[in-house]
């Protein structure tokens, strides 16, 4: 009995567990190979992949292409630019397959199909922000691939292609700004038959980025006023006390009053749709990145904590955190996982006090979703995406899930949390600097410590 408490104290203070491991698949040569192959199979006139066929058909994992006037059309061209960033970060070798094509020229070529949407679109509505992504990526090439600050990068170059990108950014930002209602304090998401029904979805937090990009080009302060007002209104009305979010909030456009809070793609009006929670986490972290408004940081932290605390014990992000396990299945959503991982990595850079916590959580999510959803036989990088469970669209690959899978790996390299050596990612070698992030490997999770203590006590060693 006398030795047990010193032993427990020793274990409590000195035991450590390994940090989550960056999955090798994040840097697999299959990523550029699959993406390059997809570019050769796109139809003419151009259509863009959105999701794949599901697992229980004769050709599972085959991309389904959609007209440009679709909210997801910017993600595949943006993925080409992301692979150019990967090539700049990692170099191009035969082993990593990053030198097989000119990613920038492909990105420019495929983005041309989006240009007519600047003045003629009926389906995009608020999602002009997402469609602007490849044009923003074009302009972000102005400096080192380690730069991600639009206010420093945009408008540095002046070739004709960049003029096209600048025009696109400004046009899409103007379209989003035109959907702003000052009485409501938000940009309208979906158009409705009743014009007084002003619908705002949590996803719209991510579309605000195009306003910041255009502000960087034009200095138009109205755009950032709209972004800030939308974020503040969303912070008040989309969040529950526990940090979870509603998918949809409906306002009265003439009074600004909230009419209803509900879901569209989640399990129930009272549930938390995981992809919406991921959009909230990432969107508010991004707003804090632009403004340094501490309210936005706290909101991003609340969203992140809820997300992490409600991942089930198997580590796989479900399509809705409140969807029942029975009757099965309760499918995962690989896109929610990769979006959240990117948001957490951004949060790690903005919240130094908890940087290790956020980055470890991001890597763990990527590790778990890779174990579940990486499928070398599919055209998509990941399977197990849930596009829209109520509509019966799940267990698919999703283009934005793949895009955020690529960008997460790029961020890990930028942050010094992974190295791309040929086709294998590894954690950086430890250094003697105590502030180095590798010190996270020496941290002990309280839950693990307590579990060890309970086990030892149950052994009845005394």
């Amino acid at each position: 009995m006398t030795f047990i408490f010193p032993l427990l104290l020793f274990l409590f203070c000195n035991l450590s567990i390994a940090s989550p491991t960056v999955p090798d698949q994040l840097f697999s040569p299959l990523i550029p190979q699959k993406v390059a192959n997809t570019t050769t199979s796109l139809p003419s006139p151009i259509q863009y992949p959105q999701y794949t066929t599901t697992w229980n058909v004769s050709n599972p994992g085959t991309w389904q292409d959609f007209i440009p006037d679709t909210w997801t059309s910017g993600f595949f061209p943006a993925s080409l630019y992301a692979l150019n960033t990967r090539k700049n970060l990692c170099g191009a070798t035969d082993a990593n397959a990053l030198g097989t094509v000119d990613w920038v020229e492909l990105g420019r070529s495929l983005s041309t199909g989006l240009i007519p949407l600047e003045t003629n679109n009926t389906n995009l509505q608020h999602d002009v922000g997402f469609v602007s992504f490849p044009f923003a990526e074009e302009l972000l090439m102005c400096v080192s691939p380690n730069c991600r600050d639009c206010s420093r990068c945009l408008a540095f170059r002046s070739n004709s292609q960049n003029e096209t990108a600048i025009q696109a950014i400004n046009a899409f930002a103007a379209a989003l700004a035109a959907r702003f209602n000052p009485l409501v304090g938000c940009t309208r998401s979906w158009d409705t038959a009743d014009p007084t029904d002003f619908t705002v979805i949590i996803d719209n937090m991510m579309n605000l980025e195009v306003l910041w990009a255009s502000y960087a080009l034009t200095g138009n302060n109205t755009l950032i006023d709209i972004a800030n007002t939308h974020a503040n209104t969303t912070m008040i009305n989309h969040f529950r006390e526990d940090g979870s979010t509603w998918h949809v909030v409906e306002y009265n456009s003439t009074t600004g009053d909230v009419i209803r809070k509900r879901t569209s793609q989640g399990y129930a009006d009272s549930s938390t749709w995981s992809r919406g929670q991921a959009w909230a986490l990432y969107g508010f972290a991004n707003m804090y990145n632009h403004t340094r408004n501490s309210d936005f940081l706290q909101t991003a932290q609340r969203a992140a904590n809820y997300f992490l605390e409600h991942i089930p014990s198997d580590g796989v992000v479900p399509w809705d955190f409140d969807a029942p396990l029975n009757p099965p299945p309760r499918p995962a959503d690989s896109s929610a996982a990769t979006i959240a991982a990117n948001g957490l990595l951004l949060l790690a850079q903005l919240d130094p006090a908890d940087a290790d916590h956020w980055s470890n959580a991001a890597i763990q999510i990527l590790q778990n979703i890779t174990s579940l959803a990486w499928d070398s036989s599919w055209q998509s990088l990941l399977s197990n995406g849930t596009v829209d469970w109520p509509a019966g669209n799940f267990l698919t690959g999703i283009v934005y899930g793949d895009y955020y899978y690529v960008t997460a790996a790029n961020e890990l390299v930028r942050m010094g949390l992974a190295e791309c050596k040929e086709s294998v990612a590894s954690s950086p070698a430890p250094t003697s600097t105590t502030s180095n992030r590798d010190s996270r490997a020496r941290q002990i999770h309280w839950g693990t410590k307590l579990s060890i203590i309970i086990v030892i006590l149950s052994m009845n060693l005394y």
Side-chain angles (χ1 to χ4, degrees):
M1 183 68 176
T2 56
F3 72 88
I4 192 70
F5 291 106
L7 174 61
L8 292 177
L9 181 62
F10 173 82
L11 290 170
F12 191 79
C13 295
N14 293 286
L15 274 176
S16 64
I17 60 173
S19 295
T21 303
V22 175
D24 292 347
Q25 291 90 333
L26 279 170
F27 296 88
S28 168
L30 278 176
I31 292 178
Q33 289 167 2
K34 284 186 175 189
V35 173
N37 288 341
T38 298
T39 63
T40 64
S41 64
L42 297 177
S44 181
I46 187 64
Q47 295 185 10
Y48 299 95
Q50 180 180 176
Y51 53 80
T52 70
T53 52
T54 190
W55 63 276
N56 61 349
V57 298
S58 59
N59 58 338
T62 302
W63 282 121
Q64 306 298 289
D65 300 322
F66 291 79
I67 62 171
D69 193 7
T70 304
W71 79 271
T72 55
S73 294
F75 286 106
F76 187 73
S79 298
L80 301 172
Y81 282 99
L83 285 173
N84 180 67
T85 299
R86 174 79 58 88
K87 183 178 74 171
N88 291 335
L89 289 167
C90 301
T93 68
D94 291 339
N96 66 24
L98 289 169
T100 55
V101 298
D102 186 330
W103 300 109
V104 173
E105 287 307 312
L106 275 178
R108 289 171 176 168
S109 175
L110 292 187
S111 297
T112 58
L114 305 174
I115 292 173
L117 301 176
E118 297 169 21
T119 56
N120 182 24
N121 71 78
T122 57
N123 298 326
L124 294 184
Q125 302 177 70
H126 68 292
D127 286 317
V128 289
F130 283 129
V131 173
S132 74
F133 278 14
F135 301 106
E137 290 287 348
E138 169 72 26
L139 296 174
L140 283 166
M141 293 192 300
C142 62
V143 294
S144 159
N146 290 307
C147 172
R148 304 301 295 172
D149 185 344
C150 291
S151 63
R152 289 184 295 152
C153 288
L154 288 172
F156 271 35
R157 291 165 65 182
S158 60
N159 64 36
S160 60
Q161 186 63 41
N162 275 321
E163 288 302 318
T164 299
I166 289 169
Q167 181 177 335
I169 291 291
N170 289 335
F172 288 133
L176 183 59
R179 301 179 69 82
F180 180 72
N181 181 323
L183 285 174
V184 173
C186 284
T187 57
R188 181 191 291 269
S189 295
W190 299 328
D191 295 335
T192 55
D194 178 358
T196 65
D197 182 6
F198 194 97
T199 301
V200 181
I201 63 174
I202 193 66
D203 319 34
N204 215 2
M205 285 301 303
M206 293 295 292
N207 285 287
L208 300 180
E209 181 61 21
V210 71
L211 301 178
W212 288 100
S214 185
Y215 163 73
L217 292 166
T218 65
N220 183 352
N221 284 292
T222 299
L223 299 175
I224 58 172
D225 290 342
I226 290 172
N228 278 304
T229 303
H230 181 101
N232 278 311
T233 304
T234 300
M235 187 168 57
I236 294 168
N237 293 324
H238 264 85
F239 278 80
R240 304 183 182 101
E241 289 186 6
D242 61 1
S244 65
T245 54
W246 279 281
H247 180 198
V248 183
V249 176
E250 296 178 7
Y251 298 86
N252 183 303
S253 65
T254 62
T255 66
D257 294 337
V258 173
I259 301 169
R260 182 185 177 195
K261 299 183 179 185
R262 63 178 178 87
T263 194
S264 177
Q265 291 168 261
Y267 172 69
D269 291 348
S270 60
S271 71
T272 303
W273 177 51
S274 64
R275 189 159 69 242
Q277 192 72 15
W279 292 135
L281 154 60
Y282 200 174
F284 275 95
N286 199 44
M287 282 296 298
Y288 176 71
N289 189 35
H290 285 297
T291 66
R292 292 307 191 263
N293 181 333
S294 61
D295 289 340
F296 295 155
L297 175 61
Q298 292 169 13
T299 302
Q301 291 166 331
R302 291 176 63 215
N305 284 325
Y306 184 92
F307 193 101
L308 297 175
E309 290 166 4
H310 288 79
I311 296 175
S313 59
D314 61 8
V316 174
V317 177
W319 73 280
D320 189 296
F321 289 116
D322 299 296
L325 291 170
N326 292 302
R330 181 177 73 172
D333 184 10
S334 52
S335 71
T338 60
I339 294 162
N342 278 268
L344 289 165
L345 291 174
L346 177 57
L347 198 52
Q349 297 170 74
L350 301 172
D351 182 15
D354 286 320
D356 290 329
H357 171 63
W358 304 127
S359 59
N360 274 341
I363 293 170
Q364 187 67 66
I365 287 172
L366 291 168
Q367 184 184 83
N368 292 339
I369 203 60
T370 299
S371 297
L372 174 74
W374 175 267
D375 193 321
S376 59
S377 68
W378 283 35
Q379 291 180 351
S380 60
L381 307 181
L382 299 176
S383 61
N384 290 86
T386 297
V387 177
D388 188 342
W389 169 265
N393 193 340
F394 59 98
L395 293 175
T396 71
I398 302 178
V399 68
Y400 41 92
D402 282 5
Y403 168 72
Y404 287 112
Y405 193 69
V406 175
T407 58
N410 292 352
E411 282 304 307
L412 287 169
V413 175
R414 284 194 189 97
M415 294 170 69
L417 300 176
E419 294 175 354
C420 37
K421 295 180 179 178
E422 300 300 334
S423 62
V424 177
S426 61
S427 297
T431 71
S432 59
T433 306
T434 57
S435 62
N436 188 284
R437 291 242 175 104
D438 288 300
S439 64
R440 81 176 70 83
R442 296 188 292 274
Q443 294 179 342
I444 310 168
H445 295 282
W446 290 86
T448 302
K449 295 175 181 177
L450 293 174
S451 297
I452 293 171
I453 291 171
I454 292 168
V455 168
I456 292 174
L457 288 173
S458 68
M459 293 171 64
N460 196 23
L461 291 177
Y462 55 90

